[in-house]
Amino acid sequence: TLTAAYTCDGAGKWPTLSWSGVPAGTAELILYAMNVAPVEGKLFVDWAVAGINPALTGIEAAKLPKGAVVGTNSFGKRGYEICPEGSETYIFALYALPRALSPRPGFDPRELRKEILAVSGHAGLFSVTYTRS
């Protein structure tokens, strides 16, 4: 469960996230936070971070790793923004890419996702639910 502290009902900063099992030969990690229910049939991205060093095993709450860049979310802002209207489920997806895509700050995560899928790296997914009181 995602607590209010990590949504617009709290500090609005991302939580500490950790992972393991990054495949050998990974050149770049890209992390997305997405709403499970698409809005108007489109992928709704609440946060996208590219350029994560594959040697890392996680990121600290509200601290962007060195060299990482943040994309523009579906709210039209650069950054993390989970702000549900009620009870919603979010997926955090970590993509391990065999070659670096190296997008620029403010990249469009929907466009980048097409490139990610074309490169066909490995992905790890986990979901969290937040219910607004």
Side-chain angles (χ1 to χ4, degrees), residues 43-97:
L43 175 70
F44 197 88
V45 178
D46 297 276
W47 186 44
V49 181
I52 301 172
N53 184 331
L56 295 178
T57 57
I59 62 172
E60 295 179 41
K63 186 175 180 185
L64 197 61
K66 183 179 178 181
V69 296
V70 178
T72 302
N73 62 31
S74 293
F75 292 105
K77 300 175 185 172
R78 223 185 269 185
Y80 174 91
E81 190 167 349
I82 288 185
C83 198
E85 293 184 15
S87 179
E88 295 185 24
T89 301
Y90 298 87
I91 293 174
F92 285 82
L94 182 69
Y95 299 95
L97 304 179

Side-chain angles (χ1 to χ4, degrees), residues 4 7-10 82-88 129-133:
T7 71
C8 63
D9 290 333
I82 288 185
C83 198
E85 293 184 15
S87 179
E88 295 185 24
T129 301
Y130 176 69
T131 302
R132 184 175 245 179
S133 304

